[in-house]
Amino acid sequence: MGSIYGTLFRISTWGESHGAGVGVVIDGCPAGLPLCEEDIQKYLDLRRPGQSVYSTPRNEADKCAILSGVFEGRTTGTPISIEVRNTSQRSADYSEIASYYRPGHADYTFDEKYGFRDYRGGGRSSGRETIARVAAGAVALIILERLGIDVCAYTKSIGDITVQNFDRDEIFRNTLYMPDKKAAAQAREYLDDLMKQGNSAGGVVECRVSGLPAGLGETVFDKLDAELAKAVMSIGAVKAVELGSGTSASHSTGKENNDEFFMENGQVNKSTNNSGGVLGGMSDGSELILRASFKPTPSISALQHTVNKSGEDIDVSIKGRHDPIIVPRAVIVVRSMMAIVLVDMMLRNMTARMDRIEDFYRR
Amino acid sequence: MGSIYGTLFRISTWGESHGAGVGVVIDGCPAGLPLCEEDIQKYLDLRRPGQSVYSTPRNEADKCAILSGVFEGRTTGTPISIEVRNTSQRSADYSEIASYYRPGHADYTFDEKYGFRDYRGGGRSSGRETIARVAAGAVALIILERLGIDVCAYTKSIGDITVQNFDRDEIFRNTLYMPDKKAAAQAREYLDDLMKQGNSAGGVVECRVSGLPAGLGETVFDKLDAELAKAVMSIGAVKAVELGSGTSASHSTGKENNDEFFMENGQVNKSTNNSGGVLGGMSDGSELILRASFKPTPSISALQHTVNKSGEDIDVSIKGRHDPIIVPRAVIVVRSMMAIVLVDMMLRNMTARMDRIEDFYRR
Amino acid sequence: MGSIYGTLFRISTWGESHGAGVGVVIDGCPAGLPLCEEDIQKYLDLRRPGQSVYSTPRNEADKCAILSGVFEGRTTGTPISIEVRNTSQRSADYSEIASYYRPGHADYTFDEKYGFRDYRGGGRSSGRETIARVAAGAVALIILERLGIDVCAYTKSIGDITVQNFDRDEIFRNTLYMPDKKAAAQAREYLDDLMKQGNSAGGVVECRVSGLPAGLGETVFDKLDAELAKAVMSIGAVKAVELGSGTSASHSTGKENNDEFFMENGQVNKSTNNSGGVLGGMSDGSELILRASFKPTPSISALQHTVNKSGEDIDVSIKGRHDPIIVPRAVIVVRSMMAIVLVDMMLRNMTARMDRIEDFYRR
Amino acid sequence: MGSIYGTLFRISTWGESHGAGVGVVIDGCPAGLPLCEEDIQKYLDLRRPGQSVYSTPRNEADKCAILSGVFEGRTTGTPISIEVRNTSQRSADYSEIASYYRPGHADYTFDEKYGFRDYRGGGRSSGRETIARVAAGAVALIILERLGIDVCAYTKSIGDITVQNFDRDEIFRNTLYMPDKKAAAQAREYLDDLMKQGNSAGGVVECRVSGLPAGLGETVFDKLDAELAKAVMSIGAVKAVELGSGTSASHSTGKENNDEFFMENGQVNKSTNNSGGVLGGMSDGSELILRASFKPTPSISALQHTVNKSGEDIDVSIKGRHDPIIVPRAVIVVRSMMAIVLVDMMLRNMTARMDRIEDFYRR
């Protein structure tokens, strides 16, 4: 349960690390959107493993196929099924972990909930699950682009190394997706050091959205920030979600934290953006800013204590090469989840006012 | 839209600050639960204004009435309608703010979304909206109590003053709901100082849940932490939600952040609790720990710049007495939203395993 | 559970026959709709008991109150809470039925599901539950009216007496809501006869909707006819729902049942309307026609066999005056449920096409 | 939109007649259910074309593949993705119908809703869409079987020929799935005659479910019969859904239609079953009986009038071999939709009572 997300733009994902593949069915994508596999592949390639020394060398092409919902190059309004077949999985690698609970992983909770688990490569809790999010996110990003909305995400920090400058072009130039060349170099050093110790690092992904109209989001439970918090917190390894001034708002005062309004070229504008673009759960027309804190990769080769299924205390070293940091590959996942929520909210928002509904049907 | 929450235990809230009242309809409360108005009132009284110098002096009794779904002292399985009538509102107080957009408030976004707004006392975005959450939360807390689950929430910090000791009994002894007498005294000083300046403070609410079985929560989008993040972020003024080690996880290493498992009295236990009780989106049997960062009260008497509906730049001072801090009164709101999510997740979890379904119907 | 209906225009109803009252919360009503209590009362009066010799003499005013979501005469976009307090209930009348299961009623199933029931006046399964449907339906009908859509419902048949002529003005002239004066006279005779025997009758309500644009409804599960079937079948005592040619389609041939298309004044038109206005789950632009078959009122004074809660066979005669026919009072309920579905479907349909979404946001 | 169904046992279907294939993702299937492709294939074979002279000769194997959610022969609790690839489609056959609107088909409404359509073989409105329903239904039927519930469906009538005797073994012996050998022979004659005229027939599918516990279904909108009505009405070509005495209830009297209760072997029983197993929206423990009326196949070779996309009146004869009757192949589709609803309702029902929830978690 719980693999379906959204109200009008709804995605239903499936797939395990070592099953036949992973995929998503998008129900509610508007008709008439130009879409082809290459459009989606471009985004999938951003999360693909084997891109750098910091990601697992499982070198799969992760080629997507659109199985339905597109005809003559345009979406038809019917469900779009996208799948990526698994090709390079080797189940043998994972036989050992079937017997014990890896610290920081979902092994124990899966067994407690369902009585057993597909232990191969983390099963449903594998990072490969995010392929489906990115495939759906690609469609959402294409929709937003047509509506003049830009969704930009990047690595904000790795360990204690935080970007100091924002150079958008730099994001895709370094394998860590950091918009600051110097910070990226420092982070690489930090990661190299941790890898030697069989250890791993955490970090922060930041996402900025510009071009949003004001008024997106609902006023009580389905606030824009609440939906974004759920969507981003649902990504594996995320331990905190912040909007705008975030945790620092709690240390601030009203005078400091309030964003004053002023007029600029006949438009309402804000002098600061501590709100992160959301007031009362609705977009306020300024840039939307969200940050997600990721815990360090739980799979480490350094020795750890744990228990096995027979209830014995044991020491383990997680075999295989694992990413020493989840963050860079999670950048496109955060961006995808943001886009999915924003499309859903834009569709929902169309029915907010009676006068606009009358205009629509008078058409 | 967006005023309904939950999958099986579903709440539908309504009401504005200066309308007839506020209320909630709970659809999906199990039958046979002993329930009366006093049970709910006890929780409502915890968020009631007029409790201290730090909360608005609008001294309403906020008396709740159960209008349906309870017969002979027990819930019947049909919707429970609970309402609290507004009694002391004075709309005249708010006529001025109808014409401009208060910084940090939802005035501007409401107008942008809906074309106009009920400006009296914040309308639907008033703190009074949380009465409905607390009424529903009371029912959820009563259910959880019967299942042996304890939900404890308190003020973790106000501005830079953080509790150093945890004395549970102290929580309800001071009006700031802090479990540390000394920190509470410091916080009072800090707040008194801000009030003199017509300024306000932010803070952090922490919630700890014990007694949860392992396995609650779904594995992908409806992860336990994701649902909690949405529910808590949907409370007005929350800018960040963290689970367990939260934002600090990003500065940690895998070796530090992983919670090692060990056996204790035949049970699987964890040496630390950086996970905050959630692994892979499911409860891991240890204490659930969540923190919410609240921004400072946006209503301050100190002079602020803003714009009015005619598109003119103006300076304003928000009239009326306002809480210099939202946090203490939000403690029960966070606790309520946590309880609502947990009950829903416990109900959803009952259908996870075929063997247990067969047992249930073989009964 | 199951007292919430709709996707975007969502209603949440509550209330029992002999509790404090009944009500509905509408979440998702567009902002800016002129609305006042009189608008709703007009529709509630159409289902009110005490209107004729064929309906129960419980003479309640059923006055509605709008508690939220309306400001200065217009909806605000926030939840609209409408309630009708019960005033004339006398629980003493119902003490006897607490002990046994009335044939044709939900007494037995309630006890089996929930372990006990609010037996007073049928509790949640009372006809009074439909007040909430009609209150929500009133709002939906007002929305549809602004969009040029007319929803007309009437008594099609009572027992074997079917209307032969359709005189729309006649509908509200006779207490049976039949559009055929002669048939109404015959039906009255039939009912008078049954009442003397302590017996009751069934009948059919027909609903016709004109002015609908083509394309409403979704293509697979949420077909327009499927949603209407659910909404109408959810009204107590409905045993069959038909669209267009309905059950008679099964006796027809393709050549007879297909509606041929032809051009008329530059518009696509249909030579017949066996489809009842729905093709492939979407409105086809012609009149929508739905029929609901109601079973006879189960409460009859004639002697019936049944069992009591102690598991004993007994004979009973249902005391009190009961409507000998449900149909006339159900006419407005069917019309309401149709309207609720249609509004929801019109809102959902706004997001069907990318070009229209782009137009909307380019505005 | 609208291709997702269910609350806890949720299915998300996709696919067009001439795309890559059709499929379903089941979210919420309990863990631990033994399941393999053969289990599903057995049901798919019941709806497969090419079985008889009365069904289209498109002879596809319709082999299903399970792509996720099953590990070592048992469901894992994660989404089950099942797909059937299209193999024998020939798009060339359908080029002509791209230009005009077939009477009785969704061609016109698709164009009106989405602006264009995948015209090949009916696209999403093709009968092949039901493959996904049957695949999901197979899983539901397997679950119900383990819970002691039997779902039996068959052809009740074709045109005016109705089964007179019920011989369950006969159902799968004749290609029309009629439980009456003699009626089947008459129906074959009737169909042969119609085929010669390039015409088609309608009919009725009946479904009977035994072994259901009392109390399934929710009391207001999500009544068991309401959910079943939606699920069955959502099958293409269904024009009416009836429960128990159905349309004939409207001609009956309370005395005739009420099912009297009596005790039998310590159990509450009913003397008749006009309710069709549902009272007040909840199962009453007796056999559930539902009937669906299907219109005749709209694709006929006899000449029909219609319009083309250029707005011209034309005469057409639908080319290609088409089933002269939908009903036999729809039998397994009705059975599948019934099973899907029943599983969902059984899961939802588990949370109805507090005492049972306490028992569950005390386990």
Side-chain angles (χ1 to χ4, degrees):
Chain A
M1 216 194 311
S3 283
I4 296 180
Y5 191 77
T7 296
L8 293 178
F9 185 84
R10 287 199 291 180
I11 65 172
S12 177
T13 71
W14 56 271
E16 279 84 29
S17 174
H18 286 60
V22 294
V24 62
V25 181
I26 305 173
D27 188 31
C29 182
L33 180 77
L35 187 73
C36 67
E37 286 160 356
E38 289 66 38
D39 294 336
I40 295 165
Q41 195 63 48
K42 193 175 72 177
Y43 292 97
L44 285 175
D45 288 347
L46 293 174
R47 74 154 292 291
R48 204 151 59 79
Q51 305 291 60
S52 81
V53 66
Y54 307 112
S55 57
T56 53
R58 178 172 162 171
N59 214 320
E60 306 198 35
D62 286 349
K63 285 292 168 212
C64 72
I66 297 176
L67 303 184
S68 68
V70 175
F71 180 58
E72 298 182 343
R74 287 187 300 155
T75 57
T76 60
T78 63
I80 302 171
S81 178
I82 307 171
E83 78 180 33
V84 171
R85 292 291 179 131
N86 292 332
T87 51
S88 82
Q89 68 271 28
R90 287 172 299 171
S91 295
D93 294 349
Y94 295 96
S95 54
E96 189 194 334
I97 64 167
S99 67
Y100 65 81
Y101 300 130
R102 290 171 298 165
H105 276 281
D107 301 340
Y108 174 67
T109 49
F110 254 99
D111 271 13
E112 285 294 301
K113 183 176 192 74
Y114 293 120
F116 78 122
R117 72 183 192 279
D118 179 348
Y119 50 77
R120 300 166 303 165
R124 183 77 178 136
S125 282
S126 160
R128 285 190 74 71
E129 172 259 313
T130 62
I131 289 175
R133 299 178 186 244
V134 175
V139 178
L141 285 164
I142 292 164
I143 291 172
L144 292 176
E145 197 178 20
R146 292 183 76 89
L147 296 168
I149 295 159
D150 176 68
V151 183
C152 174
Y154 47 86
T155 301
K156 171 86 169 182
S157 68
I158 288 181
D160 293 333
I161 301 140
T162 302
V163 298
Q164 302 298 328
N165 300 300
F166 182 81
D167 174 1
R168 187 161 176 165
D169 295 335
E170 179 63 26
I171 297 175
F172 295 104
R173 270 196 224 119
N174 67 73
T175 51
L176 297 174
Y177 296 145
M178 278 183 132
D180 176 341
K181 198 173 175 175
K182 202 171 138 199
Q186 291 173 320
R188 271 193 297 274
E189 250 179 81
Y190 172 62
L191 292 173
D192 289 342
D193 200 47
L194 283 173
M195 284 172 80
K196 281 180 204 143
Q197 304 162 38
N199 206 345
S200 63
V204 173
V205 174
E206 188 165 78
C207 186
R208 289 168 177 270
V209 186
S210 58
L212 287 177
L216 299 184
E218 308 304 326
T219 50
V220 177
F221 300 122
D222 299 352
K223 286 185 162 81
L224 180 55
D225 40 356
E227 286 290 349
L228 291 171
K230 176 179 171 180
V232 172
M233 189 68 94
S234 79
I235 302 169
V238 173
K239 299 304 289 181
V241 177
E242 305 173 72
L243 266 284
S245 53
T247 57
S248 72
S250 75
H251 299 278
S252 183
T253 70
K255 214 160 162 33
E256 293 158 2
N257 193 68
N258 280 353
D259 303 315
E260 293 186 325
F261 291 108
F262 68 97
M263 296 304 297
E264 191 175 46
N265 304 325
Q267 300 289 316
V268 174
N269 212 328
K270 284 160 51 195
S271 56
T272 49
N273 191 12
N274 290 315
S275 77
V278 184
L279 277 172
M282 294 168 275
S283 59
D284 65 13
S286 55
E287 200 177 39
L288 183 69
I289 304 172
L290 178 146
R291 281 182 304 288
S293 295
F294 284 79
K295 71 177 186 183
T297 316
S299 293
I300 55 175
S301 57
L303 211 65
Q304 295 180 95
H305 194 78
T306 192
V307 302
N308 64 19
K309 293 185 72 171
S310 316
E312 295 163 330
D313 282 81
I314 56 170
D315 287 311
V316 298
S317 163
I318 310 295
K319 299 266 164 40
R321 267 284 309 279
H322 293 279
D323 297 10
I325 174 99
I326 289 161
V327 165
R329 285 174 56 188
V331 167
I332 184 62
V333 183
V334 170
R335 193 175 161 204
S336 293
M337 293 308 296
M338 298 282 290
I340 288 163
V341 169
L342 289 169
V343 166
D344 201 26
M345 285 308 196
M346 290 195 80
L347 299 183
R348 292 174 71 172
N349 185 55
M350 290 177 71
T351 65
R353 289 170 60 163
M354 195 62 210
D355 53 355
R356 294 185 180 163
I357 297 167
E358 290 178 47
D359 281 353
F360 185 91
Y361 279 109
R362 200 174 294 128
R363 196 195 48 240
Chain B
M1 215 194 310
S3 283
I4 297 180
Y5 191 77
T7 297
L8 293 178
F9 185 84
R10 287 199 292 179
I11 65 172
S12 177
T13 72
W14 57 272
E16 279 84 28
S17 174
H18 285 61
V22 293
V24 62
V25 182
I26 305 173
D27 188 32
C29 181
L33 180 76
L35 187 73
C36 67
E37 285 160 355
E38 289 66 37
D39 294 334
I40 294 165
Q41 196 62 48
K42 193 177 72 178
Y43 292 97
L44 286 175
D45 289 346
L46 293 175
R47 75 155 290 292
R48 204 151 58 78
Q51 304 290 61
S52 81
V53 67
Y54 307 112
S55 57
T56 54
R58 178 171 163 171
N59 215 320
E60 306 199 35
D62 287 347
K63 284 293 170 212
C64 73
I66 297 176
L67 304 183
S68 67
V70 175
F71 181 58
E72 298 182 341
R74 287 187 299 155
T75 58
T76 60
T78 65
I80 303 170
S81 177
I82 307 171
E83 79 181 31
V84 171
R85 292 290 179 133
N86 292 332
T87 52
S88 82
Q89 68 271 30
R90 287 172 299 170
S91 296
D93 293 349
Y94 295 97
S95 54
E96 190 195 333
I97 64 167
S99 67
Y100 65 79
Y101 301 130
R102 291 170 297 165
H105 275 281
D107 301 341
Y108 174 67
T109 49
F110 254 100
D111 271 13
E112 286 294 300
K113 185 178 191 74
Y114 294 120
F116 79 122
R117 72 183 191 279
D118 179 349
Y119 50 77
R120 301 166 303 166
R124 182 77 177 134
S125 281
S126 159
R128 284 190 72 72
E129 172 259 313
T130 61
I131 289 175
R133 299 178 188 245
V134 175
V139 178
L141 285 163
I142 293 164
I143 292 172
L144 291 176
E145 197 178 21
R146 291 184 77 90
L147 296 168
I149 294 159
D150 175 67
V151 183
C152 173
Y154 48 85
T155 301
K156 172 86 170 182
S157 69
I158 288 180
D160 293 332
I161 300 138
T162 302
V163 299
Q164 303 298 327
N165 299 300
F166 182 81
D167 174 0
R168 188 163 175 163
D169 294 336
E170 179 63 25
I171 297 175
F172 295 103
R173 270 195 224 121
N174 68 74
T175 50
L176 297 173
Y177 295 145
M178 279 182 130
D180 175 340
K181 199 174 175 174
K182 202 173 139 197
Q186 292 172 320
R188 270 192 298 273
E189 252 180 81
Y190 173 63
L191 292 174
D192 288 342
D193 200 47
L194 284 172
M195 284 172 78
K196 282 178 205 144
Q197 305 162 36
N199 206 346
S200 63
V204 173
V205 173
E206 189 165 78
C207 186
R208 291 169 176 269
V209 186
S210 58
L212 287 177
L216 299 184
E218 307 303 326
T219 50
V220 178
F221 300 120
D222 299 353
K223 285 185 162 82
L224 179 56
D225 39 358
E227 287 290 349
L228 292 170
K230 175 179 172 179
V232 172
M233 189 68 94
S234 79
I235 302 169
V238 173
K239 298 304 289 180
V241 177
E242 306 173 71
L243 265 284
S245 52
T247 56
S248 71
S250 75
H251 299 279
S252 183
T253 69
K255 213 159 163 37
E256 291 158 3
N257 194 68
N258 279 352
D259 302 316
E260 294 186 324
F261 290 109
F262 69 95
M263 296 304 296
E264 189 176 48
N265 304 325
Q267 299 289 316
V268 174
N269 212 328
K270 284 160 51 195
S271 56
T272 50
N273 191 12
N274 290 314
S275 78
V278 183
L279 277 172
M282 294 169 275
S283 60
D284 65 12
S286 54
E287 199 177 37
L288 183 69
I289 304 172
L290 178 146
R291 280 182 305 286
S293 294
F294 285 78
K295 71 177 185 183
T297 316
S299 294
I300 56 176
S301 57
L303 211 67
Q304 296 181 95
H305 193 78
T306 191
V307 302
N308 64 19
K309 292 185 74 172
S310 314
E312 296 162 330
D313 283 81
I314 56 170
D315 287 311
V316 298
S317 162
I318 310 294
K319 301 262 164 43
R321 269 285 310 279
H322 293 279
D323 297 11
I325 174 101
I326 290 161
V327 165
R329 285 173 57 188
V331 166
I332 183 62
V333 184
V334 170
R335 192 176 161 203
S336 292
M337 292 308 296
M338 298 282 289
I340 288 164
V341 170
L342 288 169
V343 166
D344 200 27
M345 285 308 197
M346 290 194 79
L347 298 183
R348 291 174 73 173
N349 185 55
M350 289 176 72
T351 65
R353 289 171 60 164
M354 195 62 210
D355 53 354
R356 293 182 182 166
I357 297 167
E358 291 179 47
D359 281 353
F360 185 91
Y361 279 109
R362 200 174 295 127
R363 194 194 50 237
Chain C
M1 216 194 311
S3 282
I4 296 180
Y5 190 78
T7 297
L8 293 178
F9 186 84
R10 288 199 291 180
I11 65 173
S12 177
T13 72
W14 57 271
E16 278 85 29
S17 175
H18 285 60
V22 295
V24 63
V25 181
I26 305 173
D27 187 32
C29 182
L33 181 77
L35 187 73
C36 67
E37 284 160 357
E38 289 67 38
D39 294 335
I40 294 166
Q41 195 63 47
K42 194 176 71 177
Y43 292 97
L44 285 175
D45 289 347
L46 293 174
R47 74 154 292 291
R48 204 150 58 79
Q51 304 291 61
S52 82
V53 66
Y54 307 112
S55 57
T56 53
R58 177 173 162 169
N59 215 321
E60 307 198 34
D62 287 348
K63 285 293 169 213
C64 72
I66 298 177
L67 304 183
S68 66
V70 176
F71 180 59
E72 297 182 342
R74 287 187 299 156
T75 58
T76 60
T78 64
I80 303 170
S81 178
I82 307 170
E83 78 181 33
V84 171
R85 292 292 179 132
N86 293 332
T87 52
S88 82
Q89 68 272 28
R90 288 172 300 171
S91 295
D93 293 348
Y94 294 97
S95 53
E96 190 195 335
I97 64 167
S99 67
Y100 65 80
Y101 300 130
R102 290 169 299 164
H105 276 282
D107 302 341
Y108 174 67
T109 49
F110 254 100
D111 272 13
E112 286 294 300
K113 185 178 191 73
Y114 294 120
F116 79 121
R117 72 184 191 277
D118 179 348
Y119 50 78
R120 301 165 304 165
R124 182 78 178 135
S125 282
S126 160
R128 285 190 73 72
E129 172 258 312
T130 62
I131 289 175
R133 298 177 187 246
V134 175
V139 178
L141 285 163
I142 292 163
I143 292 172
L144 292 176
E145 198 178 21
R146 291 184 77 90
L147 296 169
I149 295 159
D150 175 67
V151 183
C152 174
Y154 47 86
T155 301
K156 171 85 171 182
S157 68
I158 289 180
D160 293 332
I161 300 138
T162 303
V163 298
Q164 303 298 326
N165 300 300
F166 182 81
D167 174 1
R168 186 161 176 166
D169 295 336
E170 180 62 26
I171 297 175
F172 294 104
R173 272 197 223 118
N174 67 73
T175 51
L176 297 174
Y177 296 145
M178 278 182 132
D180 175 340
K181 198 175 176 173
K182 203 171 136 197
Q186 292 173 319
R188 271 192 296 272
E189 252 180 78
Y190 173 62
L191 292 173
D192 288 342
D193 201 47
L194 283 173
M195 283 172 80
K196 282 179 205 144
Q197 303 162 40
N199 206 344
S200 62
V204 174
V205 173
E206 189 164 79
C207 186
R208 289 167 179 271
V209 186
S210 58
L212 286 178
L216 300 184
E218 307 304 325
T219 49
V220 177
F221 299 121
D222 298 353
K223 284 185 163 83
L224 179 56
D225 40 356
E227 287 290 347
L228 291 170
K230 175 179 171 180
V232 172
M233 188 68 93
S234 79
I235 302 169
V238 173
K239 298 305 289 181
V241 176
E242 304 173 73
L243 267 283
S245 53
T247 57
S248 73
S250 75
H251 300 278
S252 183
T253 69
K255 215 161 161 35
E256 293 158 1
N257 194 68
N258 279 353
D259 302 316
E260 294 186 325
F261 291 108
F262 68 96
M263 295 304 297
E264 191 176 46
N265 304 326
Q267 298 290 316
V268 174
N269 213 327
K270 285 161 49 195
S271 56
T272 49
N273 190 12
N274 290 315
S275 76
V278 184
L279 278 172
M282 293 168 276
S283 59
D284 65 13
S286 55
E287 200 177 39
L288 183 70
I289 305 172
L290 178 146
R291 280 182 304 287
S293 295
F294 285 79
K295 71 177 185 183
T297 317
S299 292
I300 55 176
S301 57
L303 212 65
Q304 297 180 94
H305 194 78
T306 192
V307 303
N308 63 20
K309 292 185 73 170
S310 316
E312 295 161 331
D313 282 81
I314 56 171
D315 287 311
V316 298
S317 163
I318 310 295
K319 298 265 165 41
R321 268 282 311 280
H322 293 279
D323 297 10
I325 174 101
I326 290 161
V327 165
R329 284 174 55 187
V331 166
I332 184 61
V333 184
V334 170
R335 193 176 160 203
S336 293
M337 292 308 296
M338 298 281 289
I340 288 164
V341 169
L342 289 169
V343 165
D344 200 26
M345 285 309 197
M346 290 195 78
L347 298 184
R348 291 174 71 172
N349 184 55
M350 290 176 71
T351 65
R353 289 169 59 163
M354 195 62 210
D355 53 355
R356 293 183 182 165
I357 297 168
E358 291 179 46
D359 281 353
F360 185 92
Y361 279 109
R362 200 174 295 129
R363 195 194 50 238
Chain D
M1 217 193 310
S3 283
I4 296 180
Y5 191 77
T7 297
L8 293 178
F9 185 84
R10 288 200 291 180
I11 65 172
S12 178
T13 72
W14 56 271
E16 278 84 29
S17 175
H18 285 60
V22 294
V24 63
V25 181
I26 305 172
D27 188 33
C29 182
L33 180 77
L35 187 74
C36 66
E37 285 160 356
E38 289 67 39
D39 293 336
I40 295 165
Q41 195 62 49
K42 194 175 72 176
Y43 292 97
L44 285 175
D45 289 346
L46 293 174
R47 76 154 290 291
R48 204 149 60 78
Q51 306 288 59
S52 82
V53 67
Y54 306 113
S55 58
T56 53
R58 176 170 164 172
N59 215 320
E60 306 198 35
D62 287 348
K63 284 295 168 210
C64 72
I66 298 176
L67 303 183
S68 67
V70 175
F71 181 57
E72 298 182 344
R74 286 186 301 155
T75 58
T76 59
T78 65
I80 303 171
S81 177
I82 307 171
E83 80 180 31
V84 171
R85 291 291 179 133
N86 292 333
T87 52
S88 82
Q89 67 271 30
R90 286 172 301 171
S91 296
D93 293 349
Y94 294 96
S95 53
E96 191 195 333
I97 64 167
S99 66
Y100 66 79
Y101 302 130
R102 291 170 298 164
H105 276 280
D107 302 340
Y108 174 67
T109 49
F110 254 100
D111 271 13
E112 286 295 300
K113 185 177 191 74
Y114 294 120
F116 79 121
R117 72 184 191 279
D118 180 349
Y119 50 77
R120 301 166 303 165
R124 182 77 177 136
S125 282
S126 159
R128 285 190 72 72
E129 172 259 313
T130 60
I131 288 175
R133 298 178 188 246
V134 176
V139 177
L141 285 163
I142 292 164
I143 292 172
L144 292 176
E145 197 178 21
R146 291 183 76 90
L147 295 168
I149 295 159
D150 175 68
V151 183
C152 174
Y154 47 86
T155 302
K156 172 85 170 182
S157 69
I158 288 180
D160 293 332
I161 300 139
T162 302
V163 299
Q164 302 299 328
N165 299 300
F166 183 82
D167 174 1
R168 187 163 177 163
D169 295 335
E170 179 62 27
I171 297 175
F172 294 103
R173 269 197 223 118
N174 67 74
T175 51
L176 296 173
Y177 296 145
M178 279 182 130
D180 175 341
K181 197 174 177 174
K182 203 171 136 198
Q186 292 173 319
R188 271 193 296 272
E189 251 180 80
Y190 173 62
L191 291 174
D192 289 343
D193 201 45
L194 283 173
M195 284 173 79
K196 281 178 205 145
Q197 303 162 38
N199 206 345
S200 63
V204 174
V205 174
E206 189 164 79
C207 186
R208 289 168 178 271
V209 186
S210 58
L212 287 177
L216 300 185
E218 307 304 325
T219 49
V220 178
F221 300 121
D222 298 353
K223 284 185 163 83
L224 179 56
D225 39 357
E227 287 289 349
L228 291 170
K230 174 179 172 180
V232 172
M233 190 67 94
S234 79
I235 301 170
V238 172
K239 299 304 290 181
V241 176
E242 306 173 70
L243 267 283
S245 53
T247 57
S248 72
S250 75
H251 300 278
S252 183
T253 68
K255 214 161 162 35
E256 292 158 3
N257 193 67
N258 280 352
D259 303 314
E260 295 187 325
F261 291 108
F262 68 95
M263 295 304 297
E264 191 176 47
N265 303 326
Q267 299 289 316
V268 174
N269 212 328
K270 286 159 51 195
S271 57
T272 50
N273 191 12
N274 290 314
S275 77
V278 184
L279 278 172
M282 293 168 277
S283 60
D284 66 12
S286 56
E287 198 177 39
L288 182 69
I289 304 172
L290 178 145
R291 279 181 305 286
S293 294
F294 284 79
K295 70 177 185 183
T297 316
S299 294
I300 55 175
S301 57
L303 212 65
Q304 296 181 96
H305 193 78
T306 192
V307 302
N308 63 20
K309 292 185 73 171
S310 316
E312 296 163 330
D313 282 81
I314 56 170
D315 286 312
V316 298
S317 163
I318 310 295
K319 300 263 164 45
R321 269 284 309 281
H322 293 279
D323 297 11
I325 174 99
I326 289 161
V327 165
R329 284 174 56 188
V331 166
I332 183 63
V333 184
V334 170
R335 193 176 161 204
S336 292
M337 292 308 296
M338 298 282 289
I340 289 164
V341 169
L342 289 168
V343 166
D344 200 27
M345 286 307 198
M346 290 194 79
L347 298 184
R348 291 174 72 173
N349 185 55
M350 289 176 72
T351 65
R353 290 170 59 162
M354 195 62 209
D355 54 354
R356 292 183 183 165
I357 297 167
E358 291 179 46
D359 281 353
F360 185 92
Y361 280 108
R362 200 174 294 127
R363 191 195 54 237

